[in-house]
Amino acid sequence: MADELVGILKKLSEAHGPPGFEEEVAEIIESELKGFVDEIRRDSLGNIIACKGSGEKSLMIAAHMDEIALIVKHIDDKGFIRFAKLGGIWDQLLVSQQVVIHGSKGRIRGVIGSKAVHVMKEDERKQLLTYDKMFIDVGARSADEVREMGIKVGDFITIDKKFLELAGGLVAGKAFDDRAGCTALIHAVKKAEPKCRVYAVFTIQEEVGLRGATVTGYAVKPTVGIAVDTTIAGDHPNMEAHEAPVRVGEGPVIMAADGRRESLSGGLIPNPKVKQWIIETAEKRRIPFQLEVLEGGTTDATAIQLSREGVPCGVIAVPTRYVHTFQEVLSLQDLERLAELLKGLMEEELPI
Ligand SMILES: [Zn+2]
């Protein structure tokens, strides 16, 4: 099982799927699911809705396909490219990354340049460099050359990063948020013998405001909704346990509440029956799990719960170190257990 999961995760992690251009990721998911579900379609925004099983009640489980990315904002006379950010990115992480620009003539490689340390003034070295001071170098000498390469304002830019296997069953790579969720959901829906109508939904544009979940929640009209995502593991230096209590390797995380820092507004307080159902399913199948209150983030479930007259929702996540960097780290065993738990939920009677 771990081999199968790692193969899918690697493929999905190395694929490029900025918000609004999730095509490559969608194609991988469709080819993985073909023949394993009863029905699979893409809606007009690009969300994938796969259905398996039958019955009046339905369970929607959503994972998002998009990743944090950049977009071309300006090309200067010398051929350097300025960009805007798509999703929450800490600016410092961008310096010296290799990027891929998705232009009209195919993918163009570039790097995010910066001044050499030798020529920085003392105070410059201590300052944080913000993204609006950064630029991409594709090797062109003029704006015309950049245009000839097929690059224009509005083209998507993603970070290029190879998937790595570390010691102890840990893996590193980009976009585990939320290709890890996609991987677990693919695996679960393939293997499950559903008790009700199960919708495995792979959403677009989560990182810029839960947009895919908003329309698919409405379209699917599920009895119960669940989002599968990554969450912040705090088991590394410079983190106090109370800041991010969940740990890598201790099982999937069942969300007790999430939302904005200090108020938990704009997030999800899971339906108590749904939360208890997830906990009981984990216990029944002897899957270790962790409970979390996440201050400072939310998931697709927040949008699904507010569709139509409201949908009882819950969230399950993979504990992940360094979320929203381009080098996230998670445990394959956690991912395996998450897939097991999702499959379990698909095979249990709904609590509502
Ligand atoms: Zn995210």
Side-chain angles (χ1 to χ4, degrees):
M1 179 175 176
D3 283 354
E4 206 180 317
L5 282 178
V6 81
I8 302 172
L9 181 62
K10 179 179 191 299
K11 244 193 286 179
L12 288 175
S13 165
E14 290 180 348
H16 297 264
F21 189 48
E22 293 88 348
E23 185 63 32
E24 188 187 354
V25 178
E27 279 173 16
I28 295 169
I29 292 170
E30 281 169 345
S31 74
E32 284 292 335
L33 290 182
K34 214 151 272 172
F36 291 95
V37 290
D38 301 333
E39 202 189 306
I40 184 163
R41 66 182 177 93
R42 257 199 250 185
D43 72 6
S44 53
L45 292 192
N47 297 290
I48 296 176
I49 302 172
C51 184
K52 188 174 181 180
S54 59
E56 266 181 28
K57 290 186 177 183
S58 62
L59 170 66
M60 168 174 171
I61 305 186
H64 69 89
M65 295 188 283
D66 60 314
E67 66 189 281
I68 49 170
L70 310 170
I71 187 166
V72 175
K73 190 180 167 193
H74 178 256
I75 301 162
D76 76 17
D77 295 343
K78 299 218 164 69
F80 292 102
I81 296 163
R82 302 290 182 136
F83 51 84
K85 298 192 288 180
L86 291 169
I89 301 174
W90 189 47
D91 297 5
Q92 290 314 105
L93 299 169
L94 292 168
V95 182
S96 90
Q97 293 286 357
Q98 295 184 6
V99 299
V100 173
I101 304 177
H102 303 261
S104 60
K105 294 184 183 169
R107 291 177 174 177
I108 303 291
R109 291 184 179 271
V111 296
I112 300 183
S114 74
K115 215 165 166 176
V117 67
H118 314 69
V119 291
M120 282 182 189
K121 296 190 189 82
E122 192 60 33
D123 58 326
E124 259 181 309
R125 283 185 210 185
K126 289 183 192 143
Q127 255 167 31
L128 295 179
L129 192 61
T130 54
Y131 79 96
D132 52 326
K133 303 237 164 38
M134 298 178 198
F135 53 86
I136 294 169
D137 186 345
V138 289
R141 283 162 298 180
S142 68
D144 282 343
E145 269 188 44
V146 174
R147 276 184 216 108
E148 274 161 32
M149 294 165 93
I151 298 170
K152 61 185 177 313
V153 169
D155 285 348
F156 294 105
I157 306 163
T158 44
I159 307 300
D160 210 17
K161 199 65 75 178
K162 288 267 168 281
F163 181 85
L164 276 183
E165 290 197 51
L166 306 176
L170 302 192
V171 290
K174 76 162 177 69
F176 287 177
D177 173 9
D178 184 23
R179 311 281 161 72
C182 294
T183 302
L185 182 53
I186 290 169
H187 193 85
V189 75
K190 268 179 159 175
K191 307 275 153 140
E193 289 166 32
K195 258 268 162 58
C196 64
R197 188 182 293 271
V198 167
Y199 290 94
V201 177
F202 300 86
T203 61
I204 53 119
Q205 299 185 43
E206 187 268 358
E207 297 291 1
V208 288
L210 320 177
R211 296 173 192 174
T214 303
V215 298
T216 51
Y218 185 91
V220 168
K221 203 184 172 187
T223 314
V224 169
I226 288 176
V228 193
D229 213 321
T230 51
T231 193
I232 322 290
D235 56 342
H236 60 79
N238 303 336
M239 285 285 265
E240 298 280 345
H242 66 86
E243 287 182 89
V246 308
R247 306 169 68 84
V248 164
E250 294 189 4
V253 175
I254 300 171
M255 200 61 75
D258 68 27
R260 274 195 276 279
R261 182 163 293 283
E262 290 175 10
S263 65
L264 292 183
S265 55
L268 178 84
I269 297 164
N271 176 283
K273 283 186 190 158
V274 172
K275 188 177 75 181
Q276 194 52 31
W277 177 59
I278 301 170
I279 290 172
E280 281 168 14
T281 303
E283 284 169 347
K284 189 172 158 191
R285 299 200 173 217
R286 298 182 191 285
I287 300 166
F289 63 89
Q290 311 177 66
L291 286 169
E292 184 186 21
V293 171
L294 174 67
E295 286 184 290
T298 196
T299 72
D300 273 344
T302 293
I304 299 166
Q305 72 167 335
L306 297 178
S307 58
R308 292 183 185 260
E309 296 100 6
V311 176
C313 279
V315 177
I316 313 172
V318 203
T320 307
R321 293 180 189 152
Y322 330 127
V323 172
H324 278 212
T325 73
F326 305 106
Q327 208 70 263
E328 297 166 327
V329 167
L330 59 78
S331 144
L332 290 172
Q333 192 185 41
D334 285 339
L335 191 60
E336 219 172 300
R337 286 166 165 167
L338 171 68
E340 235 355 86
L341 178 54
L342 296 180
K343 176 175 172 283
L345 294 169
M346 293 172 186
E347 293 174 346
E348 291 290 329
E349 208 79 61
L350 289 179
I352 288 159

